[in-house]
Amino acid sequence: MDIPETAERFVAFFDIMGFKDLVYRNDHKEVQKIMARVCKTVASLEKFRGDVLKNIAPPIMFSDSIIFVSHGNTPEDADDLLLTATYLLCEMLVARVPIKGALAYGLFTADFEKSSFFGRPLVDACLLAEEMHFYGAILHHSVEPHLPPHKEKSDNIALTLRAPVPMKGGPVTHSYADWRHFMKDGQTQESVLEPFYSTVSGSTRRYVDNTIGVYTPVKK
């Protein structure tokens, strides 16, 4: 398949939270152990992508950021990116890696040969993720028209929810990924999120509180 470097496409950006503080507070070997866990989780996506997804490029990872881009702008591309992002979110939370991110759409250049990646949707996703005050992944308004509500019940995409979510300026209504769609047998919302309380204290715990609050009203 001939995939253009520059095209209208979907982009997912994720940020591992507390990474800078992690680097400053721990020796390099400890950081290596944590990043090895992150890399292992990201690597697990290869089998997932190979099994069911055809429209998503390999993950781009640098420092504390992870990026996924679709090959094009079809509904299948949108579905596959949402599936990939939601699967990654679930796997990271299960691995006790605090992470947040956003999905956006627009003209984007992805040149894997030259390691050159840039465009407005990446900026939109980064800025939107910065505003979030919970662990999760939300949809920029540029993506929402490509994933209308009736598609949420489709068997081939991850479920999304729409409700007020905690942002820097207060609650704002957004569509967001329901990572619980990929929980394995024996896993529950509580078993995945409660352990985060043992990793943070003080105001940082608000992220855990907020994350639990985002999903509790729609608990399955």
Side-chain angles (χ1 to χ4, degrees):
M1 179 171 58
D2 186 20
I3 302 169
E5 293 175 0
T6 301
E8 296 283 338
R9 51 171 45 106
F10 302 94
V11 176
F13 167 83
F14 283 95
D15 179 51
I16 299 171
M17 301 182 61
F19 185 78
K20 296 177 182 66
D21 187 49
L22 175 73
V23 172
Y24 276 111
R25 286 189 294 104
N26 297 275
D27 62 44
H28 196 72
K29 287 186 177 180
E30 182 61 27
V31 177
Q32 282 182 306
K33 289 180 182 178
I34 295 171
M35 289 309 296
R37 192 166 78 239
V38 171
C39 290
K40 182 179 179 180
T41 302
V42 173
S44 72
L45 284 166
E46 287 304 307
K47 184 178 186 304
F48 176 71
R49 288 175 57 252
D51 285 347
V52 300
L53 306 179
K54 308 299 180 186
N55 301 295
I56 305 301
I60 306 157
M61 187 172 177
F62 57 95
S63 187
D64 57 347
S65 300
I66 304 167
I67 301 171
F68 293 96
V69 300
S70 66
H71 294 323
N73 64 352
T74 68
E76 290 75 21
D77 286 285
D79 290 352
D80 282 2
L81 188 78
L82 182 57
L83 270 170
T84 301
T86 308
Y87 180 84
L88 173 73
L89 180 59
C90 183
E91 291 295 296
M92 286 292 192
L93 293 178
V94 169
R96 297 192 190 183
V97 177
I99 193 170
K100 64 178 181 178
L103 284 65
Y105 171 79
L107 189 64
F108 189 79
T109 293
D111 186 341
F112 284 85
E113 186 175 327
K114 297 179 181 178
S115 296
S116 179
F117 308 97
F118 58 90
R120 181 170 177 174
L122 179 57
V123 176
D124 286 336
C126 289
L127 293 176
L128 189 57
E130 284 181 7
E131 290 189 55
M132 296 170 59
H133 268 215
F134 71 104
Y135 307 147
I138 62 179
L139 275 59
H140 188 264
H141 69 267
S142 59
V143 172
E144 289 182 318
H146 301 275
L147 291 166
H150 73 270
K151 278 183 170 285
E152 294 179 7
K153 295 182 181 180
S154 173
D155 290 334
N156 68 335
I157 67 168
L159 300 179
T160 57
L161 305 168
R162 185 177 176 86
V165 294
M167 306 290 278
K168 281 186 177 179
V172 180
T173 299
H174 264 284
S175 296
Y176 56 101
D178 187 358
W179 53 269
R180 299 170 302 171
H181 184 69
F182 287 108
M183 288 192 302
K184 297 178 177 63
D185 290 343
Q187 292 176 340
T188 64
Q189 175 180 309
E190 291 77 11
S191 69
V192 173
L193 297 180
E194 289 288 339
F196 280 99
Y197 280 121
S198 65
T199 65
V200 290
S201 296
S203 60
T204 308
R205 277 196 172 193
R206 187 175 297 118
Y207 271 90
V208 187
D209 290 342
N210 288 347
T211 305
I212 292 174
V214 162
Y215 290 97
T216 297
V218 287
K219 182 177 178 181
K220 292 183 177 179

